[in-house]
Amino acid sequence: MGRVLGIDIGMRTTGLAVSDELGLCVRALPNRKPGSRAQDIGHVLQLCQQMQVQTVVVGYPLLPQSAQEGFMARRTRRFAEALQQTASEVHVPLHVHLVDESYTSATAYRQLAGCGLSAKRRRHALDAASACLLVEDFLATQKH
């Protein structure tokens, strides 16, 4: 499968995480402040080429009560579609998947709190920790 890049898109920051080649471990990458869609896609494609990523998983934030698309889910879906299209146009072999991110932020926050991080440090690390969970969950489903 190769490396997997996880993206947790937020309004203020975007969390990023990448797996190793075997899918055994996942590490957080520095958060990114969102720019234009073209800038964000360019950054992701650059990361994919540098790290030899073949699969990208993008957190898909469906509304909790109805599992329907809200504003952020539409924004995320459009980003994932544009990323896949741009990768194809520039001949970068990439598989882009939307994955349900229900409760990843809450789970990541609890994990960070369990590590003894201050509230300020938890807020700063939350998006990257959520991206790590997205990759770990994706890898777990691929192994079964």
Side-chain angles (χ1 to χ4, degrees):
M1 177 185 305
R3 292 182 191 261
V4 177
L5 178 72
I7 304 174
D8 181 35
I9 296 174
M11 294 299 289
R12 293 189 186 122
T13 59
T14 295
L16 300 164
V18 67
S19 75
D20 66 349
E21 298 86 6
L22 300 175
L24 299 175
C25 64
V26 179
R27 69 180 170 96
L29 298 173
N31 287 338
R32 177 173 166 80
K33 297 256 187 238
S36 70
R37 182 178 290 161
Q39 290 171 329
D40 293 343
I41 287 173
H43 179 74
V44 169
L45 289 176
Q46 183 180 21
L47 281 176
C48 290
Q49 289 177 321
Q50 287 174 351
M51 297 181 176
Q52 300 175 351
V53 169
Q54 297 175 348
T55 304
V56 174
V57 293
V58 183
Y60 191 41
L62 296 173
L63 297 172
Q65 302 300 327
S66 62
Q68 294 182 347
E69 274 192 344
F71 168 76
M72 282 304 292
R74 277 191 300 280
R75 181 175 175 230
T76 298
R77 179 178 44 80
R78 289 176 183 147
F79 174 83
E81 291 168 351
L83 176 60
Q84 183 68 73
Q85 181 177 348
T86 304
S88 295
E89 289 170 359
V90 297
H91 307 291
V92 174
L94 199 61
H95 302 283
V96 179
H97 301 272
L98 287 172
V99 294
D100 182 10
E101 69 167 25
S102 298
Y103 309 109
T104 56
S105 292
T107 303
Y109 192 83
R110 282 193 304 275
Q111 288 177 349
L112 293 170
C115 293
L117 292 178
S118 68
K120 182 178 180 179
R121 286 185 177 249
R122 278 181 286 206
R123 282 191 302 276
H124 181 71
L126 184 61
D127 293 314
S130 295
C132 286
L133 289 175
L134 290 172
V135 174
E136 290 168 359
D137 290 348
F138 178 80
L139 291 170
T141 61
Q142 297 305 301
K143 289 179 183 175
H144 296 330

